[in-house]
Amino acid sequence: MNTNLPKLKIGWFYPKYLNLYGDRGNVEILVARAKLRNIPVEVIEIDLDTKLDAAFFKEINLVFMGGGPDLDQQKIYLDFLENKGNHLMEFLNNFGVGLFICGSYQLLGKYYKDAYEKILEGLGFLDFYTESPSSSEKTKSKSRMIGNIIVEVNSLLLNEPVFRSHNKLGNTFVGFENHGGRTYLSKDLIPLGLTKKNQGNNDLDLTEGVFYKNTFGTYLHGPLLARNPHFADYLIAKSIKIESLPHSAELEKFDTSVIVSAHEKSKKLKR
Ligand code: GLN
């Protein structure tokens, strides 16, 4: 058993606002799976009035932000851009680990035009934009994208050595999507994967999510990390920089038969 592993320090942004369809479960899974390996864990909740500076980002090694309805995205986005954004971008550019689900993923791009036709400026960290069909455009073919989703993970991630050594489940991520926004990646961006069932980023191409350095944006709720324990372990391992630790190239394994079967059963769920 590994001893003296570094602490997993999770910065959880806007838990009161961005927490749809069980997204908080992602934090619970990270905490539980770290504790099972005797990795010390701390979760720091970051709210609208939390003052952040560069020093704060030296104290955390994983950022998590969940999804949210348009009205809650409207409540937080200015604080996110004006008070948190620059330090967050520096952290992510320096290979800090970040997981952003749905409504928060949308805020990493250039803008999000919501269902009320309000334009929420995004961080502009990555070159993409998101648009929801307005109520006038909402026809059968342009409604919300809702359902169980299966994603074939990008081979660049599958072949990343730390991912490979923690991946006992194969090449899929499974989850649940429910969003109006359609995200369009610039051609230079790498998607997290390609959808094999349901929609992902939009209804024009098969892309799902985005993947840049150690930043991951995705439409997968579920919660994502409960249904995809291989990804949870990967994020923990990257956050504590397992590849640079002596004698600890991998997190300790434990029995995940129930969890594995949850992942496998998710692949068979109907719409
Ligand atoms: N409000 C956004 C949309 O509908 C995000 C929803 C979500 O986070 N599930 O596209």
Side-chain angles (χ1 to χ4, degrees):
M1 180 187 290
N2 287 315
T3 47
N4 299 326
L5 287 169
K7 197 172 186 180
L8 177 67
K9 292 166 285 185
I10 304 171
W12 183 8
F13 279 67
Y14 309 113
K16 290 188 203 136
Y17 297 95
L18 301 181
N19 175 33
L20 274 184
Y21 318 119
D23 281 344
R24 66 177 305 115
N26 291 305
V27 175
E28 287 167 12
I29 291 290
L30 290 167
V31 169
R33 295 183 75 85
K35 282 190 177 161
L36 280 162
R37 275 73 170 243
N38 289 329
I39 298 172
V41 205
E42 186 180 355
V43 179
I44 304 166
E45 297 192 11
I46 297 146
D47 210 335
L48 282 175
D49 52 6
T50 310
K51 300 266 175 295
L52 296 185
D53 54 16
F56 170 82
F57 280 91
K58 300 213 171 1
E59 292 305 308
I60 59 168
N61 48 23
L62 193 159
V63 164
F64 174 73
M65 237 169 120
D70 287 6
L71 291 175
D72 282 332
Q73 286 171 282
Q74 285 182 21
K75 283 181 200 144
I76 60 96
Y77 87 101
L78 281 177
D79 177 66
F80 182 57
L81 259 49
E82 289 167 9
N83 302 325
K84 272 93 174 171
N86 285 342
H87 295 307
L88 175 63
M89 287 197 284
E90 198 184 329
F91 172 81
L92 298 173
N93 265 325
N94 288 328
F95 293 88
V97 176
L99 175 61
F100 301 83
I101 314 280
C102 199
S104 61
Y105 161 36
Q106 295 169 343
L107 294 179
L108 294 181
K110 287 182 172 159
Y111 68 88
Y112 170 44
K113 179 162 84 73
D114 72 16
Y116 306 88
E117 293 187 55
K118 185 172 162 66
I119 306 253
L120 310 193
E121 193 190 330
L123 212 50
F125 177 61
L126 296 174
D127 189 6
F128 66 79
Y129 65 94
T130 304
E131 296 188 344
S132 252
S134 60
S135 39
S136 55
E137 275 178 287
K138 266 188 194 139
T139 60
K140 251 198 159 154
S141 60
K142 279 243 177 244
S143 50
R144 291 184 71 78
M145 311 207 282
I146 305 174
N148 291 302
I149 173 165
I150 304 178
V151 179
E152 181 152 333
V153 179
N154 195 304
S155 58
L156 290 172
L157 181 57
L158 286 175
N159 292 322
E160 200 273 346
V162 176
F163 192 94
R164 221 173 39 213
S165 60
H166 291 90
N167 180 10
K168 304 288 173 268
L169 281 179
N171 58 357
T172 47
F173 285 166
V174 291
F176 166 76
E177 64 177 332
N178 185 345
H179 52 109
R182 273 79 169 154
T183 294
Y184 303 97
L185 303 182
S186 75
K187 62 173 182 3
D188 300 330
L189 281 177
I190 302 171
L192 185 57
L194 295 180
T195 43
K196 288 172 68 180
K197 175 179 177 174
N198 263 318
Q199 282 166 302
N201 281 341
N202 57 61
D203 29 27
L204 291 184
D205 60 43
L206 293 176
T207 64
E208 201 301 306
V210 72
F211 156 39
Y212 171 75
K213 294 184 177 175
N214 291 324
T215 300
F216 301 91
T218 177
Y219 276 107
L220 271 60
H221 301 277
L224 171 70
L225 300 182
R227 292 209 209 172
N228 300 282
H230 47 340
F231 194 34
D233 284 352
Y234 172 69
L235 294 177
I236 296 170
K238 288 302 273 191
S239 300
I240 64 169
K241 297 197 169 55
I242 206 154
E243 65 271 45
S244 62
L245 301 175
H247 318 300
S248 6
E250 266 179 61
L251 294 179
E252 188 192 340
K253 315 243 172 347
F254 53 82
D255 178 18
T256 54
S257 56
V258 175
I259 299 164
V260 171
S261 97
H263 177 88
E264 291 305 324
K265 290 204 166 119
S266 286
K267 288 195 212 167
K268 298 184 185 105
L269 288 172
K270 299 264 170 336
R271 196 191 135 70

